[in-house]
Amino acid sequence: MRRFITLLFILLATACTTKKSTSQNKTDTLSKFSIKKRKTDSLIAMGDRPDSEQEGNTFKEVLSEKLTSYNKIQNIDTLVVDEKDSMRVHCKFYCLHDSSLIVPKRYMWGGDKSRDFITHNFAVKIILITNRDTVLTKIFVKKDFTPELYDAIRKYATFIDFKFEGYNTKLKNKLLFESSISIPLTDVGVPVYLAIDKKGKYEILDQYAIKH
């Protein structure tokens, strides 16, 4: 009988110890979770997020893509036929490697915020040949689009890409090109458009002119 009571006492003591240990582990886990959550909330409050919380590409991926773009040359070569006229378009989109664009450190949302980011401007050279006449040869840079840009975009942004959108009949039969002028490494920017007629006359348009 005494052996039975002693055994029962040991089992009860072991159960209490196990329960206490489980409870302590649970408390420790909740405490660590709470600290991690407060840290994440603090980063978000400062306008930052850890890479695991980022939507889309991480800052390192965006930076790598930007650095790679310096050595890429994008060529567009297409032919448009409009009744009796044929228009041959040659475009070359490239980096100027001028190191003249300084992006303030406040825009470095996931990188080194202790210094500004020095990068390059881009340009696009367009040659338009209508029938057998070269009617336009021009290099377009950001300043050509200045009237359509906000102050911060004008100071810190550059061409991100350049695309041929086709022959637009709504714009009185003009060749339409689209680009984005954005602050490097950010999503701060605006779309801009370039319309060229068959005689080589061009105009800069914003997104509202295209929609209407």
Side-chain angles (χ1 to χ4, degrees), residues 83-113:
E83 296 181 352
K84 295 181 180 180
D85 295 316
S86 63
M87 290 159 279
R88 173 72 66 178
V89 182
H90 302 276
C91 296
K92 178 183 177 182
F93 180 70
Y94 58 99
C95 178
L96 294 177
H97 294 278
D98 54 5
S99 300
S100 64
L101 190 62
I102 301 176
V103 181
K105 56 189 176 184
R106 67 176 180 270
Y107 288 101
M108 300 299 102
W109 53 274
D112 185 357
K113 296 182 180 180

Coordinates of all heavy atoms in Angstrom, one line a residue, residues 83-113:
E83 N -0.4 53.1 -96.4 CA -0.8 53.3 -97.8 C 0.5 53.4 -98.7 O 1.2 52.4 -98.8 CB -1.6 54.6 -97.9 CG -3.0 54.5 -97.2 CD -3.8 55.7 -97.3 OE1 -3.4 56.7 -97.9 OE2 -5.0 55.7 -96.9
K84 N 0.8 54.6 -99.2 CA 1.9 54.7 -100.1 C 3.2 54.9 -99.4 O 4.3 54.9 -100.0 CB 1.7 55.8 -101.2 CG 0.5 55.5 -102.1 CD 0.3 56.6 -103.1 CE -0.8 56.3 -104.0 NZ -1.0 57.4 -105.0
D85 N 3.2 55.2 -98.1 CA 4.4 55.6 -97.4 C 4.9 54.4 -96.5 O 4.1 53.7 -95.9 CB 4.1 56.8 -96.5 CG 3.8 58.0 -97.3 OD1 4.5 58.3 -98.3 OD2 2.8 58.8 -96.9
S86 N 6.2 54.3 -96.5 CA 6.8 53.3 -95.6 C 7.7 54.1 -94.7 O 8.5 55.0 -95.1 CB 7.6 52.2 -96.4 OG 8.7 52.8 -97.1
M87 N 7.7 53.7 -93.4 CA 8.5 54.3 -92.4 C 9.4 53.3 -91.7 O 8.9 52.4 -91.0 CB 7.6 55.1 -91.4 CG 6.9 56.3 -91.9 SD 5.4 56.7 -91.0 CE 4.2 55.5 -91.7
R88 N 10.7 53.5 -91.8 CA 11.6 52.6 -91.1 C 12.1 53.3 -89.9 O 12.6 54.4 -89.9 CB 12.8 52.3 -92.1 CG 13.9 51.5 -91.4 CD 13.6 50.1 -91.1 NE 13.4 49.3 -92.3 CZ 13.1 48.0 -92.4 NH1 12.9 47.4 -91.2 NH2 12.9 47.4 -93.5
V89 N 12.0 52.6 -88.7 CA 12.3 53.2 -87.4 C 13.5 52.4 -86.9 O 13.5 51.2 -86.7 CB 11.2 53.2 -86.4 CG1 11.6 53.8 -85.1 CG2 10.0 53.8 -87.0
H90 N 14.6 53.2 -86.5 CA 15.7 52.6 -85.8 C 15.9 53.3 -84.5 O 16.0 54.6 -84.4 CB 17.0 52.9 -86.6 CG 17.0 52.3 -88.0 ND1 17.3 51.0 -88.3 CD2 16.7 52.9 -89.2 CE1 17.2 50.8 -89.6 NE2 16.9 51.9 -90.1
C91 N 15.9 52.6 -83.4 CA 16.0 53.2 -82.0 C 17.1 52.4 -81.3 O 17.3 51.2 -81.4 CB 14.7 53.0 -81.2 SG 13.3 53.9 -81.9
K92 N 17.9 53.2 -80.5 CA 19.0 52.7 -79.7 C 18.8 53.3 -78.3 O 19.0 54.5 -78.2 CB 20.3 53.0 -80.3 CG 21.5 52.4 -79.5 CD 22.8 52.9 -80.1 CE 24.0 52.4 -79.3 NZ 25.3 52.9 -79.9
F93 N 18.5 52.5 -77.3 CA 18.4 52.9 -76.0 C 19.6 52.4 -75.2 O 19.9 51.2 -75.1 CB 17.1 52.3 -75.4 CG 16.8 52.7 -73.9 CD1 16.5 54.0 -73.6 CD2 16.9 51.8 -72.9 CE1 16.3 54.4 -72.3 CE2 16.7 52.2 -71.6 CZ 16.4 53.5 -71.3
Y94 N 20.3 53.4 -74.5 CA 21.6 53.0 -73.9 C 21.9 53.9 -72.7 O 21.3 55.0 -72.5 CB 22.7 53.1 -75.0 CG 22.8 54.5 -75.6 CD1 23.8 55.4 -75.1 CD2 22.0 54.9 -76.6 CE1 23.9 56.6 -75.7 CE2 22.1 56.1 -77.2 CZ 23.1 57.0 -76.8 OH 23.2 58.2 -77.3
C95 N 22.9 53.5 -71.9 CA 23.4 54.2 -70.7 C 24.5 55.1 -71.2 O 25.3 54.8 -72.0 CB 23.9 53.2 -69.7 SG 24.5 54.0 -68.2
L96 N 24.5 56.3 -70.6 CA 25.5 57.3 -70.9 C 26.8 57.2 -70.1 O 27.8 57.8 -70.4 CB 24.9 58.8 -70.7 CG 23.8 59.2 -71.6 CD1 23.3 60.6 -71.3 CD2 24.2 59.1 -73.1
H97 N 26.7 56.4 -69.0 CA 27.9 56.2 -68.1 C 28.5 57.5 -67.7 O 29.7 57.7 -67.8 CB 28.9 55.3 -68.8 CG 28.5 53.9 -69.1 ND1 28.5 52.9 -68.1 CD2 27.9 53.4 -70.2 CE1 28.1 51.8 -68.6 NE2 27.7 52.0 -69.9
D98 N 27.7 58.5 -67.3 CA 28.1 59.8 -67.0 C 28.3 60.1 -65.5 O 28.9 61.1 -65.1 CB 27.2 60.9 -67.6 CG 25.8 60.7 -67.2 OD1 25.5 59.8 -66.4 OD2 24.9 61.4 -67.7
S99 N 27.8 59.2 -64.7 CA 27.9 59.3 -63.2 C 27.4 60.7 -62.7 O 27.9 61.3 -61.8 CB 29.3 59.1 -62.7 OG 29.8 57.8 -63.0
S100 N 26.4 61.3 -63.4 CA 26.0 62.6 -63.1 C 24.7 62.7 -62.4 O 24.2 63.8 -62.1 CB 25.9 63.4 -64.4 OG 24.9 62.9 -65.3
L101 N 24.1 61.6 -62.1 CA 22.8 61.5 -61.4 C 23.0 61.1 -60.0 O 23.5 60.0 -59.7 CB 21.8 60.6 -62.1 CG 20.4 60.6 -61.7 CD1 19.7 62.0 -61.9 CD2 19.6 59.5 -62.4
I102 N 22.6 62.0 -59.0 CA 22.8 61.7 -57.6 C 21.5 61.6 -56.9 O 20.7 62.5 -56.9 CB 23.6 62.8 -56.9 CG1 25.0 62.9 -57.6 CG2 23.8 62.5 -55.4 CD1 25.8 64.1 -57.0
V103 N 21.2 60.3 -56.5 CA 19.9 60.1 -55.8 C 20.1 60.2 -54.3 O 20.9 59.5 -53.7 CB 19.4 58.7 -56.2 CG1 18.0 58.4 -55.5 CG2 19.3 58.5 -57.7
P104 N 19.4 61.1 -53.6 CA 19.5 61.3 -52.2 C 19.3 60.0 -51.4 O 18.5 59.1 -51.8 CB 18.5 62.3 -51.8 CG 18.2 63.1 -53.1 CD 18.4 62.0 -54.2
K105 N 20.1 59.9 -50.3 CA 20.1 58.7 -49.5 C 18.7 58.4 -48.9 O 18.4 57.2 -48.6 CB 21.1 58.8 -48.4 CG 20.9 60.0 -47.5 CD 22.1 60.2 -46.5 CE 22.0 61.4 -45.7 NZ 23.2 61.6 -44.9
R106 N 17.8 59.3 -48.8 CA 16.5 59.1 -48.3 C 15.7 58.2 -49.1 O 14.7 57.6 -48.7 CB 15.7 60.4 -48.0 CG 15.4 61.2 -49.3 CD 14.6 62.4 -48.9 NE 14.2 63.2 -50.1 CZ 14.9 64.2 -50.6 NH1 16.1 64.5 -50.0 NH2 14.5 64.9 -51.7
Y107 N 16.1 58.0 -50.4 CA 15.3 57.1 -51.3 C 15.9 55.7 -51.2 O 15.3 54.8 -51.9 CB 15.5 57.6 -52.8 CG 14.7 58.9 -53.1 CD1 15.3 60.1 -53.1 CD2 13.3 58.8 -53.3 CE1 14.5 61.3 -53.4 CE2 12.5 59.9 -53.5 CZ 13.2 61.2 -53.6 OH 12.4 62.3 -53.8
M108 N 16.9 55.4 -50.5 CA 17.5 54.1 -50.4 C 16.7 53.3 -49.4 O 17.0 53.1 -48.2 CB 18.9 54.2 -49.9 CG 19.8 54.9 -50.9 SD 19.9 54.2 -52.6 CE 18.8 55.3 -53.5
W109 N 15.5 52.7 -49.8 CA 14.6 52.1 -48.9 C 15.0 50.8 -48.3 O 14.5 50.3 -47.3 CB 13.3 51.9 -49.7 CG 13.4 51.2 -51.0 CD1 13.7 51.7 -52.2 CD2 13.3 49.8 -51.2 NE1 13.8 50.8 -53.2 CE2 13.5 49.6 -52.6 CE3 13.0 48.7 -50.4 CZ2 13.5 48.3 -53.2 CZ3 13.0 47.4 -51.0 CH2 13.2 47.2 -52.4
G110 N 16.1 50.2 -48.9 CA 16.5 48.9 -48.3 C 18.0 48.7 -48.4 O 18.5 47.7 -48.1
G111 N 18.7 49.8 -48.7 CA 20.2 49.7 -48.8 C 20.9 50.6 -47.8 O 20.4 50.8 -46.7
D112 N 22.1 51.0 -48.2 CA 22.9 51.9 -47.4 C 22.3 53.3 -47.4 O 22.4 54.1 -48.3 CB 24.3 51.9 -48.0 CG 25.3 52.7 -47.1 OD1 24.8 53.3 -46.0 OD2 26.5 52.8 -47.4
K113 N 21.7 53.7 -46.2 CA 21.1 55.0 -46.1 C 22.0 56.0 -45.6 O 21.6 57.1 -45.2 CB 19.9 54.8 -45.1 CG 18.8 53.9 -45.7 CD 17.6 53.9 -44.8 CE 16.5 53.0 -45.3 NZ 15.3 52.9 -44.4

